[in-house]
């Protein structure tokens, strides 16, 4: 059975690692905070005390990390060399396309294939293996990665070609579109409330009609009641990290994105108001604040 | 059978009037351009040469007009008085909440009930009677209006209480949210294209996953190919009219709406670039223009 080094067991990584263990894969986990890995060890995972020890002699490295810096910290030459020629790295973090492109070149020096496979979906969706993944990188490497992605996290895999940064572009575009939907709902429901119309009623109508899709239905519930510190799936500072990546990528490609600018400012303002423990949906509170609610 | 005066047979009004005629209602049509009413006369409608003649002796007035000014031009005291006490006006145009509130007071002087029932849906949806309607006004009057709305246009009726302006607030909120989705897709797909990612591929993925709802799926197709002068269902100047109403309403209620401001500017810029014959989805071209595409 394929031997996997799994690095990064936060909200998203943990259920993916657990699914792979349950599916019978030989999984070795490294995490900066070893405590968090204990339940995985009880489920059958081996534990490693360094990234290099984790990758040694494995077929595949899977990473699910918080940001570019954390991933670059793991991907030392030693750790990638330790994975060995014909190794495969499935990189599932939300990072900049440029980082994926640079890592792909570094990996090639050691004969390792790099596949970008960032995840759409909250932790519950990972646990249920109903996430959606954008994937890009060398064709054979993507084929090798697919069974592991299906076993660990996703029902849908969408191929965006061989540029290792392409899947990261798609992930950033998607998170930006989610953030824009949050701000749009917030402005609309705030205008409604100021005109005596119930936020809940309008959210329910749109969730059943024009916008009958999970993003509007699920985020809409929180925005309808203006409550963002419960069911925190993805914290506000992580949302800001993603919008920063969106705008960095937009700048590199010379693409003005005025909606992305506004959402970024909402997230910065959320931090200024002490909302770092809120779900990122809480960027919606900005429009209500501005309207004196 | 209920006698209906029907005024306004543009893209949306025409199929609604035709459905009511087919359903066996006694329909009298007035239209500023009488030519357009001929196919309805052939289907069984009577024609009137003035609004007052149309409303005389009828139970119900239904209006589907382009803007506040057109509706106010129809709702002369003479025309409303001619409808007579216990008459009902079902006002389906997208207009300002303030206009609905003023008309409701005027109508009460003549014993006529005013119900706001603006429509969500393109002409094809009206023809198939699968539109969705937000409704507000006096409770009994709404009950009287519902069978006509179901026979003419809608499968879903969502009640927003007794304030005659409430349904108009909901309609404006909805059109704003659609325009924001168009701009969000446009910025995202433009960023993708500038990074070598196919607009079509990204549109297809999001239409199947995060945003699997008609607004993203249908508008997404035009934005994926950057083509806005075919299948024109709702022209760009009408979109600007609606965004102006959104921002007027937001100003009255003291609600800053930065996304609405940006979309309004996109529509104004579209007119400046000679795009008045485009579908309003064409506001999406603005982000591509700005990015040098």
């Amino acid at each position: 059975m394929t031997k996997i080094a799994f690095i990064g067991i936060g909200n998203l990584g943990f259920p993916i690692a657990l699914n792979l263990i349950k599916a019978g894969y030989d999984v070795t986990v490294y995490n900066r905070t070893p405590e968090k890995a204990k339940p995985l060890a009880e489920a059958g995972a081996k534990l490693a005390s360094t990234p290099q020890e984790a990758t040694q002699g494995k077929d595949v490295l899977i990473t699910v990390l918080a940001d570019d810096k954390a991933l670059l910290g793991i991907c030392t030459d030693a750790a990638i060399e330790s994975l060995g020629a014909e190794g495969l790295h499935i990189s599932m973090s939300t990072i900049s396309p440029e980082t994926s492109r640079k890592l792909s070149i570094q990996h090639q020096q050691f004969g390792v294939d790099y596949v970008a496979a960032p995840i759409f979906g909250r932790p519950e969706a990972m646990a249920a293996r109903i996430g959606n993944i954008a994937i890009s990188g060398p064709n054979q490497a993507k084929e090798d990665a697919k069974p592991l992605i299906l076993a660990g996290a996703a029902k849908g895999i969408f191929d965006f070609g061989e540029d290792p940064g392409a899947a990261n572009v798609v992930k950033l575009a998607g998170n930006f579109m989610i953030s824009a939907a949050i701000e749009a709902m917030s402005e609309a429901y705030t205008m409604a409330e100021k005109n005596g119309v119930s936020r809940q009623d309008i959210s329910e109508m749109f969730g059943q009609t024009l916008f009958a899709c999970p993003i509007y239905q699920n985020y809409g519930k929180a925005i309808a009641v203006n409550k963002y510190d419960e069911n925190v799936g993805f914290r506000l500072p992580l949302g800001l990290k993603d919008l920063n990546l969106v705008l960095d990528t937009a700048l590199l490609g010379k693409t003005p994105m005025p909606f992305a600018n506004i959402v970024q400012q909402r997230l910065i303002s959320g931090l200024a108001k002490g909302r770092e423990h809120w779900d990122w949906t809480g960027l919606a509170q900005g429009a209500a604040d501005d309207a004196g609610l």
Side-chain angles (χ1 to χ4, degrees), chain A residues 10 21 26 66 72 85 103 173 187 197 204 261-262 283:
Chain A
I21 295 163
D26 178 334
L72 290 166
L103 284 172
E187 293 186 18
V197 173
E204 275 170 31
N261 286 121
I262 286 170
L283 73 90

Side-chain angles (χ1 to χ4, degrees), chain A residues 205-275:
Chain A
M205 178 180 177
F206 292 154
Q208 287 175 48
T209 56
L210 298 175
F211 298 102
C213 51
I215 293 298
Y216 285 83
Q217 289 165 340
N218 298 340
Y219 289 110
K221 280 179 203 152
I223 300 168
V225 296
N226 254 340
K227 185 94 184 130
Y228 309 105
D229 56 356
E230 291 168 0
N231 303 315
V232 177
F234 186 68
R235 288 192 312 115
L236 200 142
L238 290 170
L240 178 57
K241 178 212 78 170
D242 284 4
L243 262 293
N244 289 341
L245 289 177
V246 168
L247 286 164
D248 290 348
T249 305
L251 179 59
L252 266 176
K254 301 187 190 67
T255 309
M257 294 180 73
F259 270 21
N261 286 121
I262 286 170
V263 173
Q264 182 200 42
Q265 298 300 310
R266 291 285 194 218
L267 291 161
I268 293 171
S269 172
L271 292 185
K273 292 170 179 170
R275 296 171 182 169

Side-chain angles (χ1 to χ4, degrees), chain A residues 49-253:
Chain A
S49 54
T50 66
Q52 191 179 343
E53 185 191 321
T55 56
Q56 179 70 48
K58 306 303 187 303
D59 306 299
V60 178
L61 164 64
I62 298 178
T63 50
V64 190
L65 293 154
D67 55 27
D68 292 57
K69 195 180 156 196
L71 179 62
L72 290 166
I74 294 297
C75 292
T76 58
D77 285 355
I80 301 307
E81 187 166 24
S82 174
L83 190 58
E86 303 196 12
L88 167 64
H89 178 185
I90 306 174
S91 174
M92 303 183 78
S93 318
T94 299
I95 55 165
S96 78
E98 285 308 297
T99 295
S100 269
R101 289 165 188 146
K102 283 177 196 160
L103 284 172
S104 179
I105 292 167
Q106 174 221 21
H107 284 44
Q108 283 168 18
Q109 296 171 22
F110 305 106
V112 174
D113 281 324
Y114 178 95
V115 167
I119 316 165
F120 288 101
R122 292 204 160 209
E124 315 84 76
M126 297 306 109
R129 298 191 294 145
I130 57 170
N132 287 294
I133 302 242
I135 196 169
S136 66
N139 287 329
Q140 182 56 50
K142 284 184 292 196
E143 289 309 311
D144 294 343
K146 283 178 186 175
L148 297 174
I149 290 170
L150 294 171
K155 64 171 178 182
I157 301 179
F158 295 81
D159 190 340
F160 287 89
E162 298 218 85
D163 166 19
N168 301 110
V169 171
V170 174
K171 171 68 182 171
L172 294 177
N175 274 18
F176 156 66
M177 283 172 61
I178 294 169
S179 73
I182 292 169
E183 171 68 17
M185 280 186 271
S186 176
E187 293 186 18
Y189 301 175
T190 298
M191 180 186 74
E193 181 179 354
K194 301 269 294 192
N195 272 273
V197 173
S198 152
R199 296 172 76 98
Q200 281 93 334
D201 288 352
I202 198 169
S203 171
E204 275 170 31
M205 178 180 177
F206 292 154
Q208 287 175 48
T209 56
L210 298 175
F211 298 102
C213 51
I215 293 298
Y216 285 83
Q217 289 165 340
N218 298 340
Y219 289 110
K221 280 179 203 152
I223 300 168
V225 296
N226 254 340
K227 185 94 184 130
Y228 309 105
D229 56 356
E230 291 168 0
N231 303 315
V232 177
F234 186 68
R235 288 192 312 115
L236 200 142
L238 290 170
L240 178 57
K241 178 212 78 170
D242 284 4
L243 262 293
N244 289 341
L245 289 177
V246 168
L247 286 164
D248 290 348
T249 305
L251 179 59
L252 266 176

